Amino acid sequence: MKKLLLLLALSIGTFTINAQTKEELQAQKAEKQAEADKFQAEANALQAQIDALPGWRKGLFGTIGGTISNFSNWYAQGTPDNSSGNIGVSINGFANLIEEKFFWRNALTTNLNWVKLDDKNDPTDDDSFNPTTDVFNISSLYGRNLTKNFAVSGLAEYRTTLLDNFNDPGYLDVGVGGTWTPLENLIVVVHPLNYNFVFADGDSVFESSLGAKIVADYTRQIGAVSFKSNLSTFQSYKSGDLSNITWTNSFSYTLWKMIGVGFDFGLRSNKQEALNYALGQHDPLATPLQAIPTFDNVDNKLQSYWLIGLSYNL
């Protein structure tokens, strides 16, 4: 009995010592964490001062995603022997010169995607990677500051596709007006005098016109998170059929060094593109007869794309 009581006392004593030691370690950790948070806050404040200095600010981030698969004798599907793949990449870059009296902001956004489906039992099918998503946009904005948050500005923005039908169509906006910067990373451009040049091969529905250009861009990095949201719209003074709007978004979260996960998505509305596509699909010999597509009857559906995969941040 004495031995049992002694063993029980030793066990209780050991538990008490361990509990005290754990509490002491947790207290020490809390102190160190508080010191680390203090130093991190000071470092963030210094970085904010560095970022506010005149000069160039440059950045590049994007997303890479893809899948590759192979099936043999998989009879449950319509194509039992096939190999397929999907590859996508997005790039978001900027180079901004910020000075006391003026600024010069340059941005690049591109999103490219390829897919393939090779039916091994059909020697005549296309077994190559074919482009699907194809977005390219580059812009340059120059402004002279009138106040801390407002400047007179000029903008040139070019948008087209790279992989298929390059510059067919292509859009070049050139205009002047004002730029408002209510926040450090938010840029709002309003140019009531803007000409939208539209380039297209042959006789097509595309038409250039004078109108207003409105752009809102928010680009920021907070710790391991980088994101960019850009809304660009052109409102034609000639006809609403010639107007367009594009909204693109990119997010990336760094997990290790420069590698992480990313997500991109975009929305677009362009009635000229919708009509051009509808005319290309129109069959004049179809039964029953189909109405010839026009601006009045075309179904201008909302265009969209998205991409998820590995991200990089330089």
Side-chain angles (χ1 to χ4, degrees):
M1 179 60 71
K2 291 182 179 181
K3 292 182 179 181
L4 181 60
L5 293 174
L6 180 61
L7 181 60
L8 181 60
L10 289 174
S11 299
I12 294 174
T14 302
F15 176 78
T16 302
I17 293 173
N18 289 338
Q20 291 175 345
T21 302
K22 181 178 179 180
E23 292 175 354
E24 292 173 356
L25 290 174
Q26 288 177 335
Q28 294 177 17
K29 178 185 176 183
E31 292 176 2
K32 298 297 183 182
Q33 187 63 53
E35 293 179 4
D37 293 341
K38 175 185 176 182
F39 291 134
Q40 185 62 54
E42 294 176 355
N44 292 340
L46 291 173
Q47 186 61 51
Q49 295 180 34
I50 294 173
D51 294 339
L53 294 174
W56 283 98
R57 291 123 165 96
K58 302 176 182 178
L60 179 70
F61 70 95
T63 303
I64 300 175
T67 60
I68 297 177
S69 64
N70 185 85
F71 289 87
S72 295
N73 304 320
W74 200 264
Y75 298 116
Q77 60 188 13
T79 308
D81 302 293
N82 75 80
S83 62
S84 63
N86 183 303
I87 300 173
V89 57
S90 71
I91 300 173
N92 296 279
F94 64 90
N96 301 331
L97 177 60
I98 308 299
E99 297 291 345
E100 182 179 354
K101 296 183 178 181
F102 71 93
F103 58 80
W104 183 27
R105 298 176 177 271
N106 304 278
L108 167 69
T109 300
T110 182
N111 192 307
L112 308 176
N113 196 79
W114 299 262
V115 298
K116 87 162 191 172
L117 175 61
D118 177 22
D119 184 352
K120 300 176 183 178
N121 298 323
D122 183 2
T124 63
D125 74 336
D126 186 1
D127 60 356
S128 60
F129 279 91
N130 296 301
T132 52
T133 304
D134 192 355
V135 178
F136 178 81
N137 184 289
I138 187 169
S139 65
S140 184
L141 174 68
Y142 179 83
R144 300 288 299 187
N145 296 323
L146 298 180
T147 66
K148 179 181 179 181
N149 301 111
F150 185 80
V152 292
S153 57
L155 171 69
E157 181 186 68
Y158 177 67
R159 182 178 65 255
T160 185
T161 56
L162 293 179
L163 305 178
D164 193 17
N165 298 326
F166 174 73
N167 205 41
D168 183 23
Y171 305 88
L172 174 62
D173 281 291
V174 179
V176 293
T179 296
W180 178 45
T181 54
L183 301 174
E184 180 181 356
N185 301 287
L186 176 60
I187 308 298
V188 180
V189 180
V190 180
H191 286 177
L193 185 60
N194 181 93
Y195 200 82
N196 178 238
F197 296 91
V198 184
F199 310 100
D201 295 338
D203 184 16
S204 67
V205 300
F206 296 100
E207 182 179 352
S208 303
S209 65
L210 181 69
K213 184 73 173 181
I214 301 175
V215 177
D217 184 277
Y218 190 74
T219 304
R220 190 174 182 183
Q221 180 173 348
I222 304 176
V225 179
S226 298
F227 55 92
K228 176 183 178 67
S229 182
N230 181 275
L231 177 67
S232 178
T233 177
F234 170 73
Q235 300 298 319
S236 174
Y237 293 146
K238 183 176 182 179
S239 171
D241 295 333
L242 307 181
S243 301
N244 62 75
I245 182 171
T246 303
W247 184 35
T248 58
N249 300 270
S250 298
F251 304 87
S252 71
Y253 181 78
T254 303
L255 297 174
W256 178 74
K257 293 187 177 180
M258 297 181 296
I259 305 300
V261 293
F263 176 67
D264 292 69
F265 75 91
L267 300 173
R268 178 166 171 76
S269 177
N270 188 312
K271 203 169 186 179
Q272 294 183 87
E273 293 176 350
L275 178 57
N276 184 64
Y277 177 79
L279 288 172
Q281 300 297 309
H282 177 67
D283 183 3
L285 303 178
T287 304
L289 294 177
Q290 300 175 352
I292 299 177
T294 65
F295 279 121
D296 294 329
N297 61 26
V298 69
D299 186 8
N300 183 25
K301 296 180 179 179
L302 183 65
Q303 306 172 39
S304 66
Y305 72 83
W306 63 270
L307 170 67
I308 187 169
L310 293 177
S311 68
Y312 56 91
N313 196 333
L314 303 179

